[in-house]
Amino acid sequence: MLHSILRCACPISTTLAFTRPLAHFRPHMAPDPNRPVEGAIRTKLTQQLEPEHLEVHNESHMHAVPPGSESHFRVLVVSPRFDGLSLLQRHRLVNETLAEELKTCVHALAIQAKTPLQWGSNPSIAKSPPCMGGSKGDHTVEEKLKAGRD
């Protein structure tokens, strides 16, 4: 039941998470009830990939969506489960883990999937470019935002 509640409710706040040093990362932080989609993403990635470092950034405020939306995300996942996997295989693991969110309420997901060795040599997260208005002609955004409110 909790899964269906967290699946795609509309949030009150879209505060952008700040980069945290690895030493301060707590993998089992309680999800913020005001950001259920972000919480579901964080929980699923933590359970499935057991990351050493995880960042989930809600970038919806950078796009042409209503305030409070949870439709555009960037994730940084550093996991030993990625050792020996190609970048494509890592992305597939993340996409498979978040399949329900991608089908229902997440319109865009930027993924950085690194091994602990890669993270150790370059501990940074990429920045997203400004929105170019591409979602204005994409009717799936409107449907996903509606699904998030239902």
Side-chain angles (χ1 to χ4, degrees), residues 71-145:
S71 57
H72 295 71
F73 287 90
R74 171 174 294 282
V75 297
L76 166 64
V77 185
V78 179
S79 174
R81 296 232 6 234
F82 295 149
D83 286 334
L85 298 180
S86 70
L87 184 59
L88 179 61
Q89 291 170 317
R90 297 175 204 171
H91 280 234
R92 283 182 178 155
L93 275 176
V94 172
N95 281 313
E96 289 167 6
T97 300
L98 302 177
E100 180 67 23
E101 288 72 22
L102 290 166
K103 280 191 281 189
T104 56
C105 50
V106 173
H107 170 70
L109 179 65
I111 301 169
Q112 283 185 265
K114 297 184 176 192
T115 66
L117 185 62
Q118 289 172 324
W119 176 248
S121 67
N122 183 13
S124 64
I125 187 167
K127 300 273 186 200
S128 293
C131 177
M132 300 297 285
S135 63
K136 291 178 183 174
D138 184 349
H139 301 290
T140 65
V141 174
E142 186 176 324
E143 293 166 13
K144 288 181 178 182
L145 290 172

Side-chain angles (χ1 to χ4, degrees), residues 17-45:
F18 292 100
T19 301
R20 293 174 302 278
L22 183 58
H24 300 295
F25 173 67
R26 295 177 301 179
H28 299 292
M29 294 182 345
D32 183 338
N34 295 324
R35 295 189 298 261
V37 178
E38 180 180 330
I41 290 170
R42 184 176 304 281
T43 298
K44 287 183 175 186
L45 291 174

